Amino acid sequence: MTFMKNILITGGAGFIGSHVVRLFVTKYPQYRIVNADALTYAGNLENLTDIKDQPNYIFEKADICDTARITGLFENYNIDTVIHLAAESHVDRSISDPLAFVNTNIVGTATLLQAAKHAWKGQEEGKLFYHVSTDEVYGSLGDTGFFTEFTAYDPRSPYSASKAASDHLVRSFYHTYHLPVIISNCSNNYGPNHFPEKLIPLAINNILNKKPLPVYGKGENVRDWLYVIDHATAIDTILHSGKTGETFNIGGHNEWKNIDLIRLLCKLLDEKTGQEAGSSEKLITFVTDRAGHDLRYAIDSTKLQHELGWVPSVTFEEGLSKTIDWYLQNSSWLQHVTSGAYLDYYEKQYHESH
Ligand code: NAD
Ligand code: DAU
């Protein structure tokens, strides 16, 4: 069968990647989707059981730092489009192990760029390297203002510094080698399949297990939350309509102080599990702040909304309710990912024995 596009999606077994893979596999049967993922602690093929047998889907266990393996994928599948999501993604892990982030996020991105440059040399027409990045490259905001596509980069954690470096590499390949690229920088995602090292799924898991809810510092830090499926549809929109060489900010104008968000989660979970009102809030525990903790992120996505017409599909209340329902209905997924290595990570991060 001949496909209209042969798309390599990296990191497709992770949280956001699995939603992007599902959207493209189901919406575009005329595209072949090759999911290349190293299956680190964050990669989980259980995220994709519903689409794994689709005729336009292929999984390849591959490390993006492995030049021979990545070059082979471009050749074997005649790859014409890359959606690059593979990364080390958790800020706290980047504080304890920065080199893993330098390796995957910087060396891995450079390896992919080289492979694309080599494969597409002289035939760049119709090709696209789409790099998925984060709003954290812009640094930390005070109480007011928003990140726009023109905000200067000011990364402050090893994670955000490695993502900023990867963005710079992507732009450098555009200017130097005319590699067709697009970058998008998105705010905090939440939704089904979110690994419970991140705030929202960690809180849901801990509430369900009646464990303390660790709130860093005073809980005053602000994040701008977007439902993961809305990030996937933004990527779809930008990939098909965005201009090569451009950057798009993605966000839903949905800022929450951590402590307010945790209180809302407690309330919703009390309601949904039939517990006495106020019982989950008692689990809130203020703990030592994250080193270099960015105060506030807030995305201005006017360009994406006005130029390409993208809008988020759900309100935060709807998205959070769907997310909690997913975790309540997928307790075996949660059990699988919170056994073994997760317990060791949790003990090291929160100094709590289990
Ligand atoms: P995740 O940690 O859930 O998933 C990362 C995936 O990459 C996993 O499947 C993992 O196995 C894979 N991976 C890691 N190292 C690899 C390597 N060397 N080779 C191949 N695969 C490897 O991450 P996520 O939250 O889904 O984030 C995906 C992307 O989106 C990242 O680039 C991240 O920086 C970006 N992003 C995330 C958010 C967010 O809120 N989670 C927001 C904006 C941007
Ligand atoms: O902004 C986009 C970024 O959002 C992505 O690029 C990252 O990959 C993603 O992990 C996320 O980074 P954050 O550091 O903002 O997300 P996290 O869920 O780790 O933390 C959200 C907020 O909650 C942050 O202010 C730290 C705080 N927090 C987090 C944890 C895990 C707590 O108070 N307690 C916790 O236990």
Side-chain angles (χ1 to χ4, degrees), residues 40-318:
T40 68
Y41 78 92
N44 184 354
L45 290 177
E46 265 188 76
N47 294 344
L48 292 165
T49 35
D50 56 324
I51 57 105
K52 73 177 177 23
D53 296 324
Q54 291 303 311
N56 63 335
Y57 173 69
I58 291 164
F59 174 70
E60 291 277 359
K61 186 171 188 299
D63 187 329
I64 55 164
C65 299
D66 182 340
T67 300
R69 188 81 174 89
I70 296 300
T71 307
L73 294 180
F74 274 83
E75 282 167 8
N76 291 346
Y77 296 113
N78 201 16
I79 296 299
D80 48 49
T81 306
V82 175
I83 309 177
H84 175 33
L85 295 112
E88 288 293 339
S89 67
H90 190 37
V91 174
D92 291 326
R93 288 184 193 254
S94 83
I95 294 168
S96 49
D97 184 12
L99 288 188
F101 287 68
V102 169
N103 200 37
T104 288
N105 299 359
I106 306 178
V107 178
T109 301
T111 306
L112 269 177
L113 286 164
Q114 280 283 73
K117 169 165 82 79
H118 175 77
W120 301 342
K121 196 170 168 45
Q123 303 166 53
E124 287 84 3
E125 186 70 34
K127 310 291 194 300
L128 181 64
F129 189 108
Y130 186 126
H131 179 58
V132 176
S133 193
T134 170
D135 60 358
E136 298 199 13
V137 299
Y138 297 123
S140 180
L141 291 165
D143 290 337
T144 56
F146 296 92
F147 298 133
T148 74
E149 287 81 1
F150 297 104
T151 304
Y153 276 30
D154 183 22
R156 294 148 46 97
S157 74
Y159 163 69
S160 53
S162 68
K163 290 296 291 186
S166 69
D167 293 10
H168 291 321
L169 280 167
V170 172
R171 282 198 189 92
S172 79
F173 271 63
Y174 173 70
H175 291 293
T176 309
Y177 307 112
H178 309 295
L179 191 78
V181 309
I182 287 185
I183 300 177
S184 58
N185 298 84
C186 189
S187 62
N188 284 63
N189 286 214
Y190 71 97
N193 309 92
H194 205 183
F195 193 78
E197 63 186 351
K198 310 280 169 56
L199 181 68
I200 289 181
L202 185 142
I204 294 173
N205 184 43
N206 285 16
I207 291 170
L208 293 175
N209 290 290
K210 301 199 174 7
K211 285 177 64 173
L213 299 175
V215 177
Y216 295 163
K218 294 182 180 151
E220 298 281 313
N221 303 66
V222 174
R223 295 294 182 265
D224 181 358
W225 295 95
L226 182 71
Y227 194 52
V228 63
I229 292 170
D230 286 328
H231 187 185
T233 63
I235 290 173
D236 178 17
T237 302
I238 295 166
L239 183 133
H240 287 97
S241 313
K243 207 169 137 222
T244 299
E246 298 225 337
T247 292
F248 294 87
N249 280 356
I250 309 172
H253 281 287
N254 179 42
E255 294 181 49
W256 283 79
K257 267 188 192 168
N258 292 338
I259 187 65
D260 296 338
L261 172 56
I262 294 288
R263 290 206 170 104
L264 175 60
L265 280 170
C266 289
K267 179 175 161 287
L268 291 174
L269 270 145
D270 284 349
E271 285 166 12
K272 284 182 189 277
T273 59
Q275 293 203 81
E276 194 187 326
S279 52
S280 296
E281 271 208 23
K282 292 186 190 132
L283 298 169
I284 292 176
T285 309
F286 292 93
V287 300
T288 311
D289 208 352
R290 173 184 279 175
H293 197 171
D294 288 339
L295 177 67
R296 175 171 165 259
Y297 305 143
I299 276 279
D300 178 344
S301 58
T302 307
K303 177 179 175 185
L304 173 60
Q305 303 212 10
H306 286 190
E307 286 186 14
L308 305 188
W310 170 88
V311 279
S313 67
V314 292
T315 64
F316 193 46
E317 287 66 24
E318 287 164 349

